């Protein structure tokens, strides 16, 4: 996972289709977006943009849920 400085989000690179993973995550109530929604170019690596703009406990809970979704 990569967080660009003090940004309110992190970027998680994926091997597969970020859009499909993002949709599964959103169905579970997680605030994420796939590559196509944020990439400035088509050759951007697949990934998820994960919002971190919530209280610490909510972010921690959401990141644990995302880890389970991703199989980690």
């Amino acid at each position: 996972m990569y967080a660009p400085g003090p940004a309110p989000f992190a970027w998680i690179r994926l091997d597969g289709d970020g859009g499909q993973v993002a949709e599964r995550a959103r169905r579970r109530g997680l605030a994420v977006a796939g590559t196509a929604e944020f990439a400035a170019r088509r050759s951007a690596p697949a990934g998820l943009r994960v919002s971190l703009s919530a209280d610490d406990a909510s972010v921690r809970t959401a990141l644990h849920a995302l880890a389970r979704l991703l199989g980690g």
Side-chain angles (χ1 to χ4, degrees):
M1 181 164 62
Y2 168 74
F9 69 90
W11 187 258
I12 299 175
R13 288 191 178 206
L14 300 173
D15 292 331
D17 183 352
Q20 288 181 354
V21 176
E23 182 56 35
R24 288 181 16 226
R26 283 191 291 264
R27 284 195 305 258
R28 288 173 171 78
L30 301 172
V32 300
T35 305
E37 297 168 82
F38 283 93
R41 55 189 162 78
R42 289 203 165 146
S43 61
L48 294 177
R49 184 180 190 270
V50 180
S51 174
L52 301 174
S53 55
D55 62 89
D56 289 348
S58 296
V59 169
R60 188 177 306 111
T61 299
L63 290 177
H64 283 289
L66 185 58
R68 285 191 303 276
L69 177 76
L70 297 173

